[in-house]
Amino acid sequence: MKKLKMSKLKVIPEKSLTNNSRIVGLLAQLEKINAESSESDTARYVTSKILHLAQSQEKTRREMTAKGSTGMEILLSTLENTKDLQTTLNILSILVELVSAGGGRRVSFLVTKGGSQILLQLLMNASKESPPHEELMVQIHSILAKIGPKDKKFGVKARINGALNITLNLVKQNLQNHRLVLPCLQLLRVYSANSVNSVSLGKNGVVELMFKIIGPFSKKNSSLIKVALDTLAALLKSKTNARRAVDRGYVQVLLTIYVDWHRHDNRHRNMLIRKGILQSLKSVTNIKLGRKAFIDANGMKILYNTSQECLAVRTLDPLVNTSSLIMRKCFPKNRLPLPTIKSSFHFQLPVIPVTGPVAQLYSLPPEVDDVVDESDDNDDIDVEAENETENEDDLDQNFKNDDIETDINKLKPQQELGRTIEDLKMYEHLFPELVDDFQDYDLISKEPKPFVFEGKVRGPIVVPTAGEETSGNSGSLGKVVMKENIPSRGDEGEKKSTFMDLAKENIKDDRTLQQQPAPGFTAETKKDCSLPLTVLTCAKACPHMAACGNVLFEGRTVQLGKLCCTGVETEDEDTESNSSVEQASVEVPDGPTLHDPDLYIEIVKNTKSVPEYSEVAYPDYFGHIPPPFKEPILERPYGVQSYAIPEEGDILKFNSKFESGNLRKVIQIRKNEYDLILNSDINSNHYHQWFYFEVSGMRLGVAYRFNIINCEKSNSQFNYGMQPLMYSVQEALNGRPWWIRMGIDICYYKNHFSRSSVAAGGQKGKSYYTITFTVNFPHKDDVCYFAYHYPYTYSTLQMHLQKLESAHNPQQIYFRKDVLCETLSGNTCPLVTITAMPESNYYEHLCQFRNRPYVFLSARVHPGETNASWVMKGTLEYLMSNNPTAQSLRESYIFKIVPMLNPDGVINGNHRCSLSGEDLNRQWQSPNPDLHPTIYHAKGLLQYLAAVKRLPLVYCDYHGHSRKKNVFMYGCSIKETVWRTNDNATSCDVVEDTGYRTLPKILSHIAPAFCMSSCSFVVEKSKESTARVVVWREIGVQRSYTMESTLCGCDQGKYKGLQIGTRELEEMGAKFCVGLLRLKRLTSPLEYNLPSSLLDFENDLIESSCKVTSPTTYVLDEDEPRFLEEVDYSAESNDELDIELAENVGDYEPSAQEEVLSDSELSRTYLP
């Protein structure tokens, strides 16, 4: 007793010591005891005092796990060396306290200090006692169960130390001791995350052991049963264990147990146990034998009936969802009703790639059936986990940071031209603004004026060439000779399920496409409905069509889709309604109307498509204006499965034979319900998501259901409030020419059609997904169009550019439209240059003109992301407007813009690829000039600017995002990327200019749809070939971004709860420009001298809160956990890869020095 008092005096000599100094003193005392191998009584006393402080004060727990603290090392060292049982128990209790209250960071801290190995060794030593000390085993297992998931190599360590059998034998020998069995089961669950461990445990009878613990309904031991079920679900993920469970009849047992719990759990207090049983069923049905056993045990009927009974109770949704997943998985897979999944259309490539999916596609023998999926037939003979090597163990667990680039050398931008200066001179003619002396221009002022520099000109005036400027007049497109041969497909007719094969071509001699319904789709056709527009006759004059005479259609005949003449004939106010259509068209601020139906028809005649489209969709002809009403995100009614579709009804007629159209085949499955199949991207066998098609022949007051059955993305905003778009021709004729969100009972779900491994890029058994929606049409016998998002065709872009060019003020605005290159099918890829004209041709005015920094913008590399084009339209209109801010912006920058990087993909209705069958946004590292000409030459422009020392201040590629809300940016940062790897020491050593955050930060203040918290600046390995990363890494542009716009709507700010429309998208494009003006001021060496009224514009705008809200809609269990919308959080919408990196989104905390808040701080950001 005296010794204890003496030691107490040694440890705490003064009562007034602070808590921090007390814990520091105690730890120092414990370290001294370790060094001296002092008596165990003192160590026991000191550890008990530390335990008391750790249990009672969070401040103590923080101090012991703070950066630089040696507390954890001292505790672990003591634990490793002490022979005293009570000291060991005290330290284990301290560790439990530290990791229980501190979350993941403290657990990771313990792992990094070697805690896993020390505790496993302690478990080994403790197991040698006979019998083992119960309290010690409870504590060791409890803490190992907490830290195991945070240690990547825990499974290997546990197996090497022999811990698996120690824990398993403890459970076998102590089945009635629930206090000991519970932490042991928790640790078994952690062991089982490693597939080799799972197989090893299975061989030693762990599956049978679990079935001794779980059983029929009981009010006792519910927590034990719950953990046992979780462990069983993890174990059954191994095919070996799953087969063992099937062989022993455990599938029937699980179903029987589930029904028993379902019947007796009247108050639903054991929902987690019921879900645990379902999770075990879900694991065992991953193999073919398991699915067969499930069906043989009448599992489909059991889960269907129990799910129906659960629907009335919302808290049981997880049971309904998991049951649905199991039933969907066990439902027999079917093949798509197609002879081949390859695109209906074929385009012969000038060069066949040596490797990659296109090369595989071309190398397939013609007799191969690429629709059938054989993976189910051989999944039981896959190489088992027991054959895996030690090295493969490290890959068993899917850690979320795997895709993040960790090599600092690869992260550091290394400016590489990649092409010789001589080679790059081919782009000189696209930069006449750098050499033009403006002698022949009618400038605002011919007289030289005194010129006052607002700041020093940075560097000399660079004149890249001494040669004469070559004229690049590309305003008019040359006439195109259309190809003669059109591929047809051999889709066979089906007697029972009628369908219309939309991709077949039936070309008349006059090149006018006529609609030919297939057998079963024959219906009474309105008189004149299929006549070419040139001979369309109506009882009344149609001013909007009057100009479309025979002269207009000289050359190739272009026809508007069939128009129901009753809509034209019966309208008394025909003239008024049509004039209102034109008056309502979107206008550039202080500028002209951009939509011109006649010009559109002329442009379409020169647009080259693979199917040689000769029809024009009415929405593209009439144009679109934003509707004058808000369109809220659709609230999904709870508990509604589906509405019954009436049986009566005529057969609808479908069509997609127009620019950007995509619909391959329609199958009528009920009177008013249709299955729709989309066409693959050309030269591809997948990427089905974009749709754009026409429907006619509808009746009023009838609900029609459409099921698009071959979508590929694993999730969609259609599940979270997004609706498809519909355009009614009748409404347009009545003066309402707009796309509106339409459809109810919308659901996006995995269906029973399976992709072959050929279509799934080598992955076996991947399912297709269905988007289903129900529509009531507003008019009888209308012609309506449906689209994935607001269509924006290549011809629309060319029309807008021509209208902008013809309407601009050449004295004020420098505007050029050049041809960057020709695409594979011979369409031109436009390149636009916009800046302000010099005030005069006086030398110093030309100096200022030529030394404006460049901003390089691009869009629409993915054809299905049409919202990117609407944002680009907003940018172009703003830059060409008479707004004083726009003029200041033009005086600040030279804009080089490629508004459509993938014209061929857009024209032919592709979703993601070009005619080469490749994603062009994965070709920036090594673009092939023959296969990827637009990327090759766009990169060439940037390489040229780098060669002449005129790096752009900003590069931004506009995209659309299908699985997130709001508008946001992805950029590139070494520091934030390294920080994501949890290598804090390395990230602290990285010195980086934080200017990449400036523009997104500005936009978050001025653009209502923009959300800063959704932005990410991480560089991923899978994105190393994208524009954003290549322009940053190879070209050297620090502010290289992808700007992603939602296809759905916003969950924050001014537009919270609303679906996004073209008005909001165009506004975003304009706000991006305004943000650039602010960026100019903040990055200039001296304060940019502009009127304050132009610079403080954001004070009058609503600031966005930029907080991500949790989903409130009823969704599938596996589809949207928190932040599921960030499944493909990284740039360029890599939707074909389901990389779940949700934790990497928007939670980087910059240091105080990095935080971009005020103008004074921002102005210190220097140019790259």
Side-chain angles (χ1 to χ4, degrees):
M1 196 69 180
K2 288 181 180 178
K3 283 184 180 179
L4 288 177
K5 286 182 181 177
M6 288 293 290
S7 63
K8 184 176 181 180
L9 289 175
K10 283 191 279 182
V11 175
I12 311 171
E14 295 182 34
K15 289 184 179 180
S16 61
L17 285 177
T18 64
N19 290 332
N20 279 3
S21 56
R22 283 177 67 194
I23 194 65
V24 169
L26 287 166
L27 288 168
Q29 180 70 12
L30 189 59
E31 188 174 25
K32 185 177 178 183
I33 292 168
N34 285 341
E36 297 174 356
S37 301
S38 300
E39 67 276 7
S40 58
D41 286 352
T42 310
R44 193 181 307 163
Y45 178 78
V46 173
T47 52
S48 68
K49 294 299 292 181
I50 295 173
L51 174 60
H52 174 72
L53 288 173
Q55 288 174 331
S56 59
Q57 295 170 352
E58 168 62 20
K59 195 173 183 181
T60 299
R61 295 193 287 268
R62 276 202 307 269
E63 172 76 12
M64 293 181 70
T65 55
K67 194 173 182 180
S69 169
T70 58
M72 194 70 80
E73 288 99 322
I74 295 168
L75 288 173
L76 290 173
S77 174
T78 308
L79 188 64
E80 202 171 12
N81 298 319
T82 185
K83 305 295 182 187
D84 182 63
L85 176 63
Q86 188 57 50
T87 302
T88 300
L89 288 171
N90 286 346
I91 294 175
L92 289 173
S93 297
I94 294 167
L95 294 178
V96 169
E97 286 295 327
L98 293 178
V99 299
S100 297
R105 190 190 68 81
R106 289 182 186 172
V107 175
S108 299
F109 187 68
L110 179 55
V111 170
T112 58
K113 300 300 180 184
S116 303
Q117 186 60 48
I118 291 170
L119 288 164
L120 285 167
Q121 187 60 48
L122 182 62
L123 176 61
M124 282 292 299
N125 296 337
S127 68
K128 293 173 183 175
E129 294 183 19
S130 184
H133 191 277
E134 180 181 322
E135 182 63 29
L136 184 59
M137 284 299 187
V138 169
Q139 292 279 28
I140 295 173
H141 280 85
S142 296
I143 194 161
L144 279 172
K146 289 180 185 296
I147 70 172
K150 289 291 184 180
D151 187 345
K152 291 185 181 183
K153 297 190 177 181
F154 184 75
V156 183
K157 292 175 184 176
R159 187 167 65 255
I160 291 172
N161 280 285
L164 306 186
N165 287 332
I166 293 172
T167 304
L168 183 57
N169 290 331
L170 268 178
V171 177
K172 287 179 178 178
Q173 295 160 13
N174 298 276
L175 274 177
Q176 303 307 315
N177 185 347
H178 297 153
R179 182 170 180 271
L180 176 58
V181 170
L182 184 64
C184 290
L185 287 176
Q186 290 171 335
L187 187 54
L188 280 174
R189 182 175 57 189
V190 177
Y191 291 155
S192 303
N194 178 293
S195 59
V196 179
N197 289 352
S198 186
V199 172
S200 176
L201 288 166
K203 286 179 176 177
N204 290 320
V206 71
V207 175
E208 293 82 354
L209 184 62
M210 293 302 105
F211 277 94
K212 290 182 181 178
I213 298 172
I214 64 174
F217 177 79
S218 169
K219 292 184 179 179
K220 299 178 181 178
N221 311 324
S222 59
S223 58
L224 193 67
I225 294 172
K226 168 68 178 66
V227 177
L229 284 165
D230 289 346
T231 307
L232 181 62
L235 288 163
L236 293 178
K237 287 179 180 177
S238 156
K239 289 181 181 178
T240 303
N241 291 339
R243 276 201 294 275
R244 182 176 282 110
V246 173
D247 292 342
R248 285 162 174 71
Y250 288 150
V251 174
Q252 177 73 66
V253 173
L254 285 170
L255 285 166
T256 305
I257 293 173
Y258 181 70
V259 171
D260 191 65
W261 280 89
H262 172 79
R263 286 176 180 165
H264 291 94
D265 187 23
N266 298 320
R267 298 188 179 181
H268 312 305
R269 291 177 177 172
N270 295 296
M271 195 267 285
L272 291 177
I273 289 178
R274 291 157 69 182
K275 187 179 179 185
I277 301 170
L278 290 175
Q279 291 290 356
S280 296
L281 282 168
K282 184 180 170 188
S283 294
V284 81
T285 51
N286 282 335
I287 64 169
K288 186 178 179 181
L289 280 174
R291 292 190 287 275
K292 183 178 184 302
F294 176 82
I295 291 172
D296 291 345
N298 206 19
M300 297 290 278
K301 185 175 181 180
I302 290 170
L303 290 195
Y304 179 79
N305 290 337
T306 53
S307 297
Q308 290 291 315
E309 293 168 15
C310 291
L311 280 175
V313 184
R314 191 158 192 169
T315 54
L316 300 183
D317 283 353
L319 303 184
V320 178
N321 297 336
T322 310
S323 296
S324 300
L325 294 174
I326 296 167
M327 289 188 285
R328 192 189 304 152
K329 188 197 307 182
C330 294
F331 194 87
K333 293 292 179 187
N334 208 342
R335 63 175 286 155
L336 281 175
L338 295 172
T340 173
I341 54 173
K342 285 187 286 193
S343 173
S344 310
F345 308 112
H346 176 70
F347 181 84
Q348 185 60 45
L349 295 176
V351 179
I352 307 300
V354 179
T355 58
V358 182
Q360 293 173 11
L361 201 66
Y362 271 78
S363 63
L364 279 178
E367 67 275 7
V368 169
D369 186 346
D370 62 356
V371 184
V372 173
D373 181 35
E374 301 291 347
S375 60
D376 267 0
D377 297 335
N378 58 20
D379 66 351
D380 291 340
I381 58 172
D382 285 354
V383 177
E384 285 303 330
E386 56 258 47
N387 296 328
E388 294 179 34
T389 64
E390 293 296 318
N391 293 333
E392 288 172 329
D393 282 347
D394 300 340
L395 305 175
D396 284 345
Q397 299 186 34
N398 181 22
F399 285 87
K400 293 188 174 182
N401 286 353
D402 282 351
D403 190 40
I404 296 178
E405 183 58 74
T406 55
D407 188 334
I408 287 287
N409 294 322
K410 287 186 178 179
L411 280 174
K412 289 179 180 175
Q414 297 169 346
Q415 195 169 336
E416 302 170 358
L417 286 182
R419 292 166 67 178
T420 64
I421 300 294
E422 289 301 315
D423 188 20
L424 291 172
K425 281 188 177 180
M426 65 185 291
Y427 300 110
E428 282 180 350
H429 72 282
L430 296 175
F431 294 90
E433 66 273 9
L434 292 177
V435 294
D436 204 326
D437 58 9
F438 291 90
Q439 293 301 320
D440 300 328
Y441 286 77
D442 183 20
L443 300 176
I444 296 173
S445 170
K446 285 285 186 184
E447 295 298 320
K449 292 183 180 178
F451 189 82
V452 179
F453 278 99
E454 294 165 354
K456 294 180 180 179
V457 177
R458 285 164 284 162
I461 298 173
V462 178
V463 182
T465 176
E468 285 191 11
E469 174 198 348
T470 56
S471 176
N473 183 15
S474 60
S476 59
L477 300 175
K479 280 207 169 186
V480 175
V481 179
M482 305 299 288
K483 291 179 182 170
E484 291 297 328
N485 58 335
I486 293 174
S488 62
R489 296 191 338 278
D491 284 359
E492 298 297 328
E494 298 176 34
K495 291 182 179 179
K496 291 185 179 179
S497 60
T498 60
F499 64 87
M500 188 174 104
D501 191 343
L502 297 169
K504 282 188 178 178
E505 303 298 327
N506 186 9
I507 309 297
K508 300 288 186 182
D509 290 337
D510 62 355
R511 291 289 177 80
T512 301
L513 291 184
Q514 305 293 332
Q515 181 162 345
Q516 299 288 337
F521 268 67
T522 308
E524 184 182 348
T525 306
K526 284 279 180 182
K527 186 179 180 181
D528 291 334
C529 271
S530 62
L531 294 175
L533 185 61
T534 49
V535 293
L536 180 66
T537 56
C538 301
K540 289 192 175 284
C542 303
H544 70 289
M545 296 181 182
C548 302
N550 290 323
V551 176
L552 178 66
F553 292 95
E554 287 179 0
R556 181 164 71 95
T557 304
V558 179
Q559 168 198 356
L560 274 173
K562 57 181 177 45
L563 176 67
C564 180
C565 292
T566 53
V568 180
E569 292 173 357
T570 57
E571 286 293 333
D572 293 332
E573 56 284 327
D574 220 36
T575 305
E576 295 174 19
S577 66
N578 288 318
S579 62
S580 68
V581 172
E582 297 191 10
Q583 289 172 1
S585 297
V586 181
E587 292 188 359
V588 180
D590 304 318
T593 300
L594 287 191
H595 192 80
D596 183 336
D598 298 342
L599 178 59
Y600 187 83
I601 293 288
E602 281 296 329
I603 290 171
V604 167
K605 293 194 308 190
N606 291 318
T607 298
K608 301 176 183 178
S609 62
V610 174
E612 291 197 324
Y613 295 130
S614 62
E615 288 187 11
V616 174
Y618 274 100
D620 303 323
Y621 175 77
F622 284 130
H624 158 79
I625 61 172
F629 46 82
K630 294 178 180 178
E631 297 181 286
I633 290 174
L634 188 68
E635 283 292 328
R636 195 165 180 181
Y638 173 73
V640 175
Q641 296 178 80
S642 62
Y643 292 111
I645 296 292
E647 286 299 309
E648 73 282 354
D650 296 330
I651 296 171
L652 296 176
K653 292 177 281 293
F654 296 81
N655 181 30
S656 65
K657 296 180 287 190
F658 44 78
E659 188 175 347
S660 294
N662 191 320
L663 182 61
R664 176 171 182 167
K665 183 174 180 177
V666 179
I667 303 173
Q668 185 180 23
I669 58 172
R670 294 183 185 85
K671 282 286 183 67
N672 292 317
E673 184 168 0
Y674 299 86
D675 279 356
L676 280 58
I677 301 176
L678 304 178
N679 195 26
S680 303
D681 285 4
I682 292 176
N683 272 318
S684 169
N685 52 25
H686 57 142
Y687 298 116
H688 318 96
Q689 207 77 22
W690 166 259
F691 57 86
Y692 182 18
F693 58 89
E694 173 195 291
V695 180
S696 59
M698 66 285 294
R699 296 174 58 190
L700 200 59
V702 175
Y704 295 91
R705 180 176 295 148
F706 301 113
N707 312 307
I708 301 173
I709 63 173
N710 65 330
C711 299
E712 289 192 6
K713 297 186 183 189
S714 61
N715 195 21
S716 169
Q717 282 292 323
F718 282 122
N719 273 339
Y720 314 113
M722 184 168 86
Q723 295 171 281
L725 284 144
M726 191 188 85
Y727 190 104
S728 163
V729 173
Q730 185 68 65
E731 288 290 296
L733 291 172
N734 292 339
R736 295 180 288 276
W738 46 60
W739 287 95
I740 58 169
R741 302 278 185 171
M742 179 66 80
I744 57 172
D745 302 339
I746 299 172
C747 187
Y748 189 93
Y749 60 92
K750 186 187 291 186
N751 59 35
H752 61 280
F753 294 110
S754 183
R755 280 183 272 179
S756 69
S757 58
V758 174
Q763 301 174 66
K764 295 180 179 178
K766 290 200 74 174
S767 294
Y768 285 108
Y769 292 78
T770 293
I771 161 67
T772 180
F773 57 96
T774 301
V775 171
N776 283 276
F777 291 99
H779 301 285
K780 180 184 177 183
D781 292 330
D782 197 357
V783 177
C784 291
Y785 293 80
F786 289 93
Y788 182 61
H789 198 66
Y790 300 93
Y792 191 103
T793 65
Y794 169 78
S795 299
T796 299
L797 170 68
Q798 293 286 27
M799 174 184 67
H800 286 165
L801 291 179
Q802 285 197 33
K803 296 291 283 186
L804 287 171
E805 184 176 26
S806 62
H808 81 282
N809 178 357
Q811 285 191 323
Q812 197 174 37
I813 302 175
Y814 180 96
F815 178 93
R816 281 182 60 89
K817 183 163 82 77
D818 295 293
V819 174
L820 174 63
C821 63
E822 278 201 349
T823 64
L824 290 178
S825 65
N827 294 293
T828 58
C829 179
L831 170 68
V832 176
T833 306
I834 301 174
T835 187
M837 292 293 281
E839 192 173 338
S840 74
N841 52 24
Y842 183 54
Y843 176 74
E844 288 181 328
H845 285 154
L846 292 181
C847 282
Q848 193 275 342
F849 175 86
R850 293 174 185 170
N851 279 277
R852 293 170 188 166
Y854 275 91
V855 170
F856 200 108
L857 307 177
S858 59
R860 206 67 185 281
V861 71
H862 294 145
E865 296 168 8
T866 56
N867 45 358
S869 282
W870 289 101
V871 176
M872 180 58 77
K873 178 175 182 279
T875 294
L876 289 167
E877 288 188 55
Y878 189 85
L879 289 175
M880 297 295 288
S881 71
N882 295 326
N883 188 306
T885 311
Q887 178 60 22
S888 298
L889 189 62
R890 290 190 293 266
E891 291 171 357
S892 302
Y893 297 109
I894 300 172
F895 288 86
K896 283 286 179 187
I897 302 174
V898 185
M900 193 171 282
L901 278 167
N902 191 352
D904 287 345
V906 171
I907 292 166
N908 292 287
N910 284 6
H911 175 68
R912 195 171 185 85
C913 299
S914 68
L915 292 186
S916 71
E918 296 167 294
D919 181 347
L920 290 182
N921 204 37
R922 295 297 182 279
Q923 311 303 324
W924 278 79
Q925 268 189 327
S926 303
N928 184 309
D930 297 318
L931 292 175
H932 326 116
T934 59
I935 304 302
Y936 181 81
H937 293 295
K939 184 178 180 181
L941 294 179
L942 289 157
Q943 289 170 323
Y944 177 81
L945 286 172
V948 298
K949 311 301 182 189
R950 294 298 300 273
L951 270 184
L953 178 67
V954 171
Y955 169 76
C956 190
D957 193 20
Y958 293 2
H959 281 256
H961 208 292
S962 68
R963 292 192 278 193
K964 288 178 69 174
K965 291 183 170 68
N966 311 309
V967 181
F968 49 94
M969 277 179 155
Y970 294 124
C972 301
S973 161
I974 303 175
K975 194 177 183 74
E976 296 196 32
T977 303
V978 172
W979 180 77
R980 286 285 171 214
T981 65
N982 296 323
D983 191 348
N984 294 323
T986 309
S987 63
C988 290
D989 296 337
V990 175
V991 178
E992 185 177 38
D993 173 23
T994 58
Y996 63 88
R997 277 185 162 257
T998 311
L999 183 57
K1001 193 79 174 181
I1002 292 169
L1003 292 175
S1004 71
H1005 283 80
I1006 66 172
F1010 194 89
C1011 181
M1012 186 69 187
S1013 66
S1014 292
C1015 296
S1016 173
F1017 304 93
V1018 175
V1019 179
E1020 309 92 329
K1021 297 172 188 174
S1022 61
K1023 302 300 186 295
E1024 62 183 5
S1025 302
T1026 61
R1028 166 180 65 105
V1029 177
V1030 170
V1031 172
W1032 171 72
R1033 182 181 286 161
E1034 293 184 23
I1035 310 297
V1037 178
Q1038 183 205 23
R1039 295 179 180 85
S1040 179
Y1041 305 104
T1042 297
M1043 186 162 73
E1044 301 269 0
S1045 300
T1046 179
L1047 291 167
C1048 177
C1050 298
D1051 60 13
Q1052 52 83 47
K1054 177 181 174 181
Y1055 302 131
K1056 182 177 181 178
L1058 298 178
Q1059 293 186 76
I1060 203 156
T1062 56
R1063 180 187 288 108
E1064 292 76 32
L1065 292 169
E1066 291 183 50
E1067 178 194 61
M1068 187 63 237
K1071 295 295 184 191
F1072 181 82
C1073 296
V1074 177
L1076 289 172
L1077 185 61
R1078 180 65 176 268
L1079 181 70
K1080 169 68 176 176
R1081 173 192 174 195
L1082 299 174
T1083 55
S1084 293
L1086 300 175
E1087 192 73 7
Y1088 195 62
N1089 193 15
L1090 284 174
S1092 59
S1093 60
L1094 296 180
L1095 296 171
D1096 297 329
F1097 47 81
E1098 73 275 12
N1099 294 335
D1100 302 324
L1101 295 167
I1102 295 175
E1103 289 192 15
S1104 302
S1105 63
C1106 293
K1107 289 182 180 176
V1108 179
T1109 60
S1110 59
T1112 56
T1113 49
Y1114 166 68
V1115 296
L1116 292 176
D1117 176 47
E1118 68 169 12
D1119 281 350
E1120 189 167 89
R1122 183 173 179 267
F1123 289 135
L1124 179 102
E1125 293 179 62
E1126 287 80 348
V1127 162
D1128 53 337
Y1129 83 102
S1130 45
E1132 294 80 44
S1133 314
N1134 184 18
D1135 289 317
E1136 66 270 27
L1137 294 177
D1138 293 329
I1139 301 167
E1140 201 156 338
L1141 288 158
E1143 294 178 2
N1144 294 335
V1145 181
D1147 55 355
Y1148 171 77
E1149 294 295 335
S1151 63
Q1153 293 82 3
E1154 292 171 337
E1155 186 65 282
V1156 186
L1157 292 174
S1158 66
D1159 290 353
S1160 59
E1161 291 170 354
L1162 283 167
S1163 62
R1164 290 196 292 270
T1165 306
Y1166 52 84
L1167 285 170

